[in-house]
Amino acid sequence: MVKYRDMNDRQRKVFQSVYNGWYMGGKYRVILAEHDKTFWADSLPILFNDVERWFALHERSHGDDQLLVKCVQAL
């Protein structure tokens, strides 16, 4: 994982969304504008990497929209 000071704007946005709140392994729902996706993760780095790759696909159209990451089912 990249150090925070070395992250680009996209990575910082994802980092802040993923690390905002208490982490529990499990099922996560990520919402961006009218897009949403579900991820399973048992560690923060895995969740960060999955969300960052997904967000990169939507960044051009929705890069300024709020990104929400929430746990919907804890392990």
Side-chain angles (χ1 to χ4, degrees):
M1 190 170 188
V2 179
K3 292 181 181 178
Y4 188 80
R5 69 173 185 258
D6 297 331
M7 290 181 180
N8 61 35
D9 291 339
R10 179 186 69 242
Q11 291 170 323
R12 284 187 178 144
K13 186 170 187 168
V14 171
F15 179 89
Q16 290 167 352
S17 295
V18 168
Y19 285 79
N20 186 16
W22 295 96
Y23 173 76
M24 296 171 270
K27 182 178 177 182
Y28 282 80
R29 183 172 179 207
V30 181
I31 303 168
L32 176 68
E34 69 273 0
H35 303 283
D36 69 280
K37 183 156 175 81
T38 302
F39 296 96
W40 286 91
D42 60 359
S43 73
L44 282 170
I46 289 172
L47 182 60
F48 172 83
N49 289 333
D50 290 346
V51 173
E52 199 266 331
R53 282 192 297 266
W54 179 79
F55 181 62
L57 298 173
H58 301 288
E59 183 180 24
R60 178 174 281 166
S61 301
H62 303 289
D64 293 332
D65 292 349
Q66 176 138 3
L67 180 67
L68 174 65
V69 179
K70 65 179 185 174
C71 183
V72 293
Q73 181 182 352
L75 289 178

